[in-house]
Structure formats: structure tokens, C-alpha cells
Amino acid sequence: FNGMRQAVEHLIVEHGCKRIAFVQGPAGQFEAEQRYQAYIAALQAHDLSFDPALVAQGDFSQESGRAAVRSLLDERGADFQALVTANDRMAFGALEALEMRGRSVPGDVALVGFDDVFEARLLGVPLTTVRQPFYDSGRRTVEMLVGMLQGQPPSPQADLPTELVLRWSR
């Protein structure tokens, strides 16, 4: 939640974006829902109205990023300054689809992903994204499993810090 909120707020505060589109992850998936709620919370915190026409459904795949841009631009004629995706793979597909439509990133549209996968650094336009602490997450999961095997109850939730990684696409 915090990482996505930070990314959306960066676009609002640092770049003056007021029309920010969002590509959701799979419906019902916890992390995808948290990221979507963070998007809405960031808009509300800055008194920007929520426009459902700026939200497209995705499934964390590159193809769903392409399909989201097709839906937003070709079908809805949506006008936006920035596009935030719930993961980097969808951002990769969105970048391709934007470029195919003559939209430059970041010149015409700022683009932000989530996860900071290795490929995010290698794009023609390196992707601004949110880095998750995958190693720490794995370590804490193993510690929780070992504790459960020793009879300790699992903790209900573990919050790990994320980091906004600013690159060229914003």
C-alpha cells in the first residue's frame, strides 16, 4: 500500500499530474487490491477526483498492459498524463502499446510500475517503479514457518518497507 501510494503521490506532487490512469492486478488478489486502494487514497489525499474511466483491469501479464492501453485510449478515448500499473510486467506491455500509438514516455505520458524486476532497468526507457524487499520477505516467511513448526502462532501481517526507484519513465 505505502509503496504504491508513494508512487502516485510522486506523480501528483513532483510532476503536477492530475489525470492518472491505473491498471489493476487480478481481481481478488490481496496485493493487487492493496495497490489499487493506495491509488485511490493518494488521489483523495490530494483532492483529485476518482474517474473510473481511467481504471483498466489487468492480470499482471505484459499482454494485459497492452490491452489496458488499448481499452483506455482506443475504446474509451481517455485523456491522462500518467499511467500507473500494479506491476512491472504490465508496465512493459503498456510502454509498447503507448509507443505504438505515438505516445512517448515520459514526454507524453509518465509511466510507473511496481516490483522493480531486473528488466525494468533495461528498457529503452528505464522504468520508474517500486522496489519490494523480496529477500527480506522470504527470510521473514521462513522464520514464521520455523516458528509455526515450533508451536508459535503466525503473525497476522508483516509490513516491510518499499522504495520508490526513480528512473526515466516518470
Side-chain angles (χ1 to χ4, degrees):
F1 183 93
N2 290 330
M4 181 57 76
R5 183 174 173 146
Q6 184 181 14
V8 175
E9 287 186 342
H10 170 78
L11 293 168
I12 295 167
V13 174
E14 300 299 322
H15 298 283
C17 295
K18 297 193 181 325
R19 305 248 327 138
I20 302 171
F22 188 82
V23 183
Q24 296 176 285
Q29 201 266 359
F30 179 76
E31 287 183 351
E33 295 295 331
Q34 288 290 301
R35 294 170 194 175
Y36 178 59
Q37 292 306 315
Y39 161 74
I40 293 171
L43 294 177
Q44 289 173 343
H46 294 275
D47 295 321
L48 296 176
S49 60
F50 170 76
D51 182 352
L54 294 179
V55 177
Q57 187 63 50
D59 63 12
F60 287 156
S61 72
Q62 197 164 335
E63 174 51 40
S64 72
R66 287 189 289 269
V69 168
R70 189 169 42 250
S71 174
L72 290 165
L73 293 178
D74 300 346
E75 296 168 14
R76 302 178 197 179
D79 178 36
F80 52 90
Q81 300 158 300
L83 177 61
V84 177
T85 63
N87 82 341
D88 288 347
R89 301 257 177 250
M90 291 190 299
F92 300 159
L95 177 62
E96 289 176 16
L98 287 166
E99 289 176 340
M100 285 177 54
R101 287 160 178 78
R103 307 278 177 109
S104 71
V105 173
D108 298 323
V109 178
L111 179 63
V112 177
F114 198 103
D115 289 331
D116 194 27
V117 297
F118 179 74
E119 297 91 334
R121 296 172 210 129
L122 306 176
L123 293 175
V125 178
L127 183 66
T128 293
T129 185
V130 177
R131 180 178 296 146
Q132 293 193 79
F134 289 114
Y135 177 82
D136 290 341
S137 177
R139 182 182 50 78
R140 289 188 66 178
T141 300
V142 169
E143 288 171 356
M144 188 178 354
L145 288 171
V146 169
M148 289 171 62
L149 291 172
Q150 295 172 345
Q152 299 170 9
S155 58
Q157 182 175 333
D159 292 327
L160 297 173
T162 55
E163 176 188 358
L164 181 59
V165 179
L166 300 175
R167 296 195 179 106
W168 297 1
S169 68
R170 55 76 183 114

